[in-house]
Amino acid sequence: MAKLKKSRNEVFLNIPYDKKFERLFIAYIAGISALGMVPRATLEITDSSRRLDRILKLARSCGYSVHDLSRVQLDPAKPRVPRFNMPFELGLCVADANRWEGQRQNWFVFEAVANRVDKSLSDLKGTDPRIHGATVRGVLSGLGNAFKRPGRQPSIPQMMQIYRALRKNQAAILKKAGTDTLYTRRVFADVCVLASSEADRIVED
């Protein structure tokens, strides 16, 4: 079986893209960058043709993936249905994890509510999700516990410094991009660049 070249420094970030999730979106970028890694997301995919193939290619290129399943509840807007993108992409990554000889993708599940995954996705029983309680510190703590790697080990206060710097500059980044949402390719790239710069400044290897 062919081997797939992965970047052990990149993390595929599978999260909901909505206004209420912005704080946690920034927290994931801050935490992953603090750990000396690079966030990747489907926001980078702008061509809708063969989108599923592109998602798989992006996920496969990353050494790790983080999947936030905290939006399993029904959408308040009609039609009232749950969001399936996050569990669907998690399923793709799990199914693909052992496909490539000698290369196993490490994937981590994050949730806001303890024990909810046991009911919403019972096939994951035996996998302990990181429970963040829908808080920034919860996300940062979960990332710090998930990624125990040699080298850079940032503290939660250091991660919070990076997070605050990103939030402080958020309005300027959005204005520069001419948008009011964080969930665009350009904004995501700009936030990641700033997060990496702040991480290099704040966190010592």
Side-chain angles (χ1 to χ4, degrees):
M1 185 179 294
K3 288 187 178 182
L4 179 68
K5 184 177 181 181
K6 289 177 178 283
S7 171
R8 303 301 292 175
N9 199 44
E10 295 186 351
V11 181
F12 177 66
L13 191 53
N14 174 23
I15 63 168
Y17 300 143
D18 64 46
K19 188 71 175 177
K20 290 183 178 181
F21 200 81
E22 283 188 351
R23 293 180 307 106
L24 302 191
F25 175 58
I26 294 293
Y28 277 114
I29 295 175
I32 291 169
S33 300
L35 288 157
M37 295 185 289
V38 179
R40 303 294 303 275
T42 57
L43 293 170
E44 301 171 61
I45 303 172
T46 56
D47 186 355
S48 61
S49 64
R50 301 186 66 83
R51 180 174 176 82
L52 184 56
D53 288 344
R54 292 174 183 271
I55 291 173
L56 276 170
K57 183 178 179 180
L58 176 60
R60 286 173 177 170
S61 72
C62 298
Y64 303 93
S65 61
V66 166
H67 307 266
D68 192 299
L69 302 186
S70 61
R71 286 294 194 270
V72 296
Q73 69 269 32
L74 294 177
D75 191 319
K78 293 183 179 181
R80 299 199 66 198
V81 295
R83 291 186 175 179
F84 289 129
N85 281 3
M86 282 71 68
F88 178 68
E89 289 176 23
L90 168 61
L92 292 176
C93 289
V94 172
D96 203 54
N98 295 317
R99 179 179 176 185
W100 303 98
E101 182 182 340
Q103 301 200 41
R104 181 178 64 85
Q105 180 170 0
N106 292 317
W107 47 273
F108 303 99
V109 176
F110 283 65
E111 239 285 20
V113 181
N115 303 317
R116 186 161 60 178
V117 168
D118 288 344
K119 185 175 183 179
S120 66
L121 199 56
S122 59
D123 284 347
L124 279 183
K125 282 189 176 179
T127 300
D128 294 327
R130 271 69 181 178
I131 306 301
H132 56 59
T135 68
V136 169
R137 285 186 179 272
V139 166
L140 298 178
S141 177
L143 290 172
N145 288 323
F147 294 101
K148 297 183 182 298
R149 308 183 335 142
R152 183 181 286 185
Q153 290 293 327
S155 65
I156 298 302
Q158 287 174 323
M159 289 182 174
M160 284 299 301
Q161 276 187 267
I162 299 167
Y163 169 80
R164 292 190 187 102
L166 299 184
R167 291 290 279 179
K168 180 179 179 181
N169 287 277
Q170 179 176 326
I173 291 173
L174 292 176
K175 182 177 181 181
K176 180 181 176 182
T179 183
D180 61 356
T181 177
L182 289 170
Y183 306 115
T184 70
R185 181 178 184 178
R186 177 175 177 178
V187 171
F188 177 64
D190 287 349
V191 172
C192 288
V193 167
L194 178 57
S196 178
S197 176
E198 288 295 309
D200 288 342
R201 181 179 66 84
I202 294 169
V203 183
E204 296 182 0
D205 290 322

